[in-house]
Amino acid sequence: KLLEEWVRELEASREVIRLKTLEERNQRERELASAQETQRSLLPRVLPQFENFHIHAFRSPTSYVGGNFYEFLKLSSRDWMGVLADSSGKGISAALLSSMVLGALSMEFRSGTEPREALSRVNRLVYEKSFPFQFVSLFLFLLNRDGEGQFISAGHTPVCLFHSATGEIEELVSDADMLGMFDFASYQSRKLHLNNGDILVVPSGGLTKAENSRREVFGEERLREIVDQEAPSGSDRLERCLLKAVETFTQGMPQTDDITFVVVEKCN
């Protein structure tokens, strides 16, 4: 009889523990869902319509929240800014870092700060406020309605610029440190020009590093091939084909990193 009572008490204790664990799991799910919604609200709800440009953007985090973000801001009657950034790591910590960078960049550009000075200030903020192993790669560009502008690539994955007139692809590579690596890092912009029909393709590292079942990576060369084949047909088709190519290549394999990209086409 004592043994039976002991067994019943043990089963009751297990049930209490199970219910408590289930409630904790549900609570965590609710918190993560709330964090996901909060981060989603920081991204553009609707992609902007800037004169003479078509803009596309795609983002798929590995979990509820991710470390990639993009933003577009109207700066003046002629100029606008676009950025894609990729925070190191995954999950909550990467999401918090990306949110901090997004907010800081928005404040700097809304205040009229020049791009190189804006990035220098945000770099110091990331260096001071993040952990030593946390960094942010970033590709930032400014354009006016005529397609004239500038860009800064801070430790970011190479960007493809398709030139419609020649069919050639120019690779815009990084020549600056990622944000948060060194407090003394400086950033210089380089000229950028898009003619009618030109397309700018800005990927995150997670796109080119996407893996298939054989542990092969999608790679920069495969991205270039898709741009070369599909960009002449316009940015709408390029975006669709790029998404399809990634899906076909990965064959349902779980993402190892956030996948994000921005496509910008200059049009009449």
Side-chain angles (χ1 to χ4, degrees), residues 153-170:
S153 183
H156 199 71
T157 300
V159 167
C160 294
L161 174 55
F162 170 78
H163 293 284
S164 178
T166 63
E168 296 180 350
I169 298 174
E170 180 182 358

Side-chain angles (χ1 to χ4, degrees), residues 56-182:
H56 309 264
F58 174 82
R59 174 178 172 272
S60 176
T62 55
S63 57
Y64 280 92
V65 290
N68 290 176
F69 69 84
Y70 54 81
E71 177 65 292
F72 307 97
L73 292 175
K74 185 74 171 177
L75 302 180
S76 68
S77 61
R78 291 181 57 85
D79 299 333
W80 61 279
M81 180 272 284
V83 61
L84 189 153
D86 187 347
S87 299
S88 59
K90 305 178 189 68
I92 296 294
S93 62
L96 289 172
L97 181 58
S98 67
S99 297
M100 179 178 70
V101 172
L102 175 59
L105 278 174
S106 295
M107 289 182 62
E108 292 292 344
F109 279 97
R110 291 181 192 278
S111 300
T113 310
E114 286 293 315
R116 63 178 184 273
E117 179 60 25
L119 283 192
S120 294
R121 291 181 181 180
V122 176
N123 172 69
R124 289 192 292 271
L125 176 67
V126 175
Y127 183 85
E128 292 170 0
K129 299 298 183 181
S130 64
F131 293 111
F133 55 85
Q134 288 186 302
F135 311 108
V136 179
S137 73
L138 175 148
F139 186 87
L140 181 147
F141 60 95
L142 276 70
L143 289 167
N144 64 22
R145 66 181 67 168
D146 299 320
E148 296 284 352
Q150 57 184 298
F151 76 91
I152 299 176
S153 183
H156 199 71
T157 300
V159 167
C160 294
L161 174 55
F162 170 78
H163 293 284
S164 178
T166 63
E168 296 180 350
I169 298 174
E170 180 182 358
E171 195 173 69
L172 308 181
V173 297
S174 172
D175 61 355
D177 296 314
M178 290 189 286
L179 304 185
M181 292 191 71
F182 308 105

Side-chain angles (χ1 to χ4, degrees), residues 51-55 80 139 141-151 159-165 170 172 190-202 235 262-268:
E51 185 179 359
N52 297 340
F53 291 95
H54 289 153
I55 298 175
W80 61 279
F139 186 87
F141 60 95
L142 276 70
L143 289 167
N144 64 22
R145 66 181 67 168
D146 299 320
E148 296 284 352
Q150 57 184 298
F151 76 91
V159 167
C160 294
L161 174 55
F162 170 78
H163 293 284
S164 178
E170 180 182 358
L172 308 181
R190 289 190 280 165
K191 290 184 178 180
L192 178 65
H193 180 74
L194 272 66
N195 292 307
N196 290 337
D198 289 358
I199 300 178
L200 186 69
V201 182
V202 187
S235 57
V262 165
V263 175
V264 176
E265 179 179 13
K266 175 70 169 60
C267 53
N268 291 322

Side-chain angles (χ1 to χ4, degrees), residues 3-63:
L3 180 59
E4 291 176 356
E5 291 179 355
W6 181 80
V7 170
R8 284 196 295 270
E9 290 176 359
L10 179 60
E11 290 176 347
S13 297
R14 285 176 175 172
E15 181 64 13
V16 169
I17 293 173
R18 187 188 71 81
L19 291 174
K20 183 177 181 181
T21 302
L22 180 61
E23 176 56 30
E24 290 175 346
R25 187 185 303 120
N26 290 338
Q27 177 64 25
R28 178 171 173 77
E29 292 284 337
R30 289 192 293 269
E31 290 174 352
L32 287 172
S34 178
Q36 181 186 47
E37 186 59 31
T38 299
Q39 187 179 50
R40 188 182 292 119
S41 70
L42 297 175
L43 296 170
R45 294 183 180 276
V46 179
L47 291 177
Q49 300 296 316
F50 295 126
E51 185 179 359
N52 297 340
F53 291 95
H54 289 153
I55 298 175
H56 309 264
F58 174 82
R59 174 178 172 272
S60 176
T62 55
S63 57

